[in-house]
Amino acid sequence: MGNNVPMTTATALDEIFNSVGSCLSVEAATKLRDLRISEALQSQLDSWAVQNSEGKLGNEERQQYESILRTLNFVAVLQVKARKIAEQPSGS
């Protein structure tokens, strides 16, 4: 892309995720690919989701819920990149 061509958000995010992905070894990519949240966190998110859909989630809880969801979305995209690295045939 030229310097005077504005970058879209999607293009910028893809560039960032590709840069991070290129830093991962196969071992690190495998660990990231297999990463899961704890049952306690999943239970809290489920509770907040129900409260949110019922309109009963307070402002502070909503901020926590949304912040965690944004972080999990970020990790999920990294996991897609990690999956590609971890599943490459040896020697690639």
Side-chain angles (χ1 to χ4, degrees):
M1 286 192 137
N3 289 338
N4 56 356
V5 176
M7 188 177 278
T8 66
T9 301
T11 303
L13 291 174
D14 194 48
E15 180 180 313
I16 292 166
F17 284 117
N18 285 334
S19 295
V20 172
S22 71
C23 296
L24 297 175
S25 66
V26 173
E27 181 182 357
T30 300
K31 288 180 179 181
L32 179 58
R33 176 198 66 192
D34 297 339
L35 183 69
R36 300 293 178 262
I37 63 173
S38 69
E39 288 183 28
L41 179 54
Q42 185 61 60
S43 178
Q44 181 63 67
L45 290 170
D46 293 343
S47 175
W48 282 337
V50 169
Q51 291 175 13
N52 190 50
S53 67
E54 295 173 349
K56 298 178 181 176
L57 200 59
N59 286 336
E60 185 175 330
E61 290 171 321
R62 182 176 294 105
Q63 288 175 352
Q64 291 174 338
Y65 179 55
E66 290 174 353
S67 178
I68 292 168
L69 290 180
R70 280 192 299 276
T71 301
L72 290 173
N73 285 333
F74 180 83
V75 171
V77 174
L78 286 177
Q79 286 179 311
V80 169
K81 301 290 184 189
R83 187 172 296 113
K84 291 177 184 178
I85 295 166
E87 295 173 358
Q88 286 180 355
S90 295
S92 295

